[in-house]
Amino acid sequence: MPKSSYRLYLYAKLSLVIGISIILLTIAVIVQNYQRSAQQILSNYSLMLQTLDHIYLQDMVEESERQLTALSNRVDRNTIRRGESVQDSTWEVVHLIKKEAHFIYFYHVNDQRLECYPPWKPPAGYDATQRPWYSVLKEKGEVIRWVGPYSEYISGQKVLTMVRRFQGATGEGIGLMMVDMSLDRINQILARALGKNPGTLYLRKRNGPMISEINPEWLVKVDTELKAKNEQNTFRLLYDGMLFHRQLSYVDWELGLYLPPETFLTILYKELTRVLLPLGALCIVALFGIRSLLRIVSNEVRIVENGLRVIDHQNGLKLQQQQHEAWFVDKTLVELESIRQRYHEYHQALHIDPLTGIFNRRAFDDVMEKLNTGSAPFALVLIDVDHFKRVNDTYGHQTGDVVLQHVASTIMRVLGQGYRIGEDEFAALLLMDRNELAENLEHLITQVRNLSVQGTACKVTLSIGVAIGPDSQLFQKADAALYYRKAAGRDGWTL
């Protein structure tokens, strides 16, 4: 092997080894950095949920609890039994505990009367028994329940209501004290916490309906198994995302956060940008290696090309195997010699008509395509044996085969070449001027008329259509000339 070729293969091998090593190192760095960043993101969002829980939501719930406690402590059950109003001046003061707009209610069971602050008069048709908070009366004891979210009677806005049941001496429900909480404030807090980050932040009753939901379109799964599964495998976050659940200890609610795969794909993209330097080095090494490989491939392609040129020769030249190292074509060179021999056998079989011994339709199409893509004029001659079916029916198919063989040999003798392109259809592609063409065609027709088939009275004539090319519609034009000749009486030719 030449020294330059040896160095070329050596450089290629070294480049591949270094390139693969850099790839593996880069992947390891990306994986480590991604896992660390993903865990940090999970920790940050977990801390966000904790902050929402203990600072914002707990404060809102405690505001409602303070209101309800302050109002309930001033309610006299005897006043309720007498059907008197329980509202006093403290309602206005207690109402100020919460800044957002809301209502305070007391419902009297005996006369189905609803006291409200700020003042609000139930419209005609208002039925308290159909309101969601009415169901608390069916419970036992002086329980406190959160009801909702449900729609306000007039505005239709979603609200939550903290309800306390008052009962009489025998345990019967005598009234309900209620404090509304607007969902607008909860929605604002959750939306501000999530910001423009992709994902869904929500608050819902434990195993119950949603109270508030920010960007619900991101929430593709609410599955408790998703959290446990993805905490153990941060790479599953790239496919499933992450779902957090946080149970609120002071109320029967659940705070949840779903982070879609896009969150973690962004982290991965950022980590990829941090490895530009090793990737740049990898590209340099890879380019050098690819350059060497391309030269190797180019050299070995030339080896195969030379072998193919030898195969295409029909003079019996044998392939000589290259006496140096080859990565891609060593085994190929061993097979090329046997392929060369089979090639010529198959080539002949594919292009020769077995009955007449002249070229077939495949050979005709190949030559026709080459001539039609050039600029030199040539003539396409289509030849049909007149009434060939009658010959077969009258004298038999064996005689028909003899007729075809005689016609083929006559065409080859007169025109110098020919193709059998159908059962009784022949063609020729001639490079000659019109005078010479006409002379040859007349001679061919005369020769075929004089043919005799031994032992029969069979007479043979030809119909010939001719068109001059090159032309993309050359075959159709020659075919049209042939049919014109047949309509005109056969036994002749038409240009």
Side-chain angles (χ1 to χ4, degrees), residues 249-267:
S249 58
Y250 43 86
V251 67
D252 192 24
W253 294 349
E254 177 182 79
L255 187 61
L257 172 66
Y258 174 70
L259 299 177
E262 285 77 358
T263 301
F264 303 96
L265 287 171
T266 301
I267 298 172

Side-chain angles (χ1 to χ4, degrees), residues 368 372 380 467-468 470-480:
M368 174 78 168
N372 229 1
L380 167 60
I468 305 299
D471 189 322
S472 60
Q473 301 295 318
L474 186 62
F475 193 93
Q476 290 85 340
K477 291 181 178 180
D479 196 46

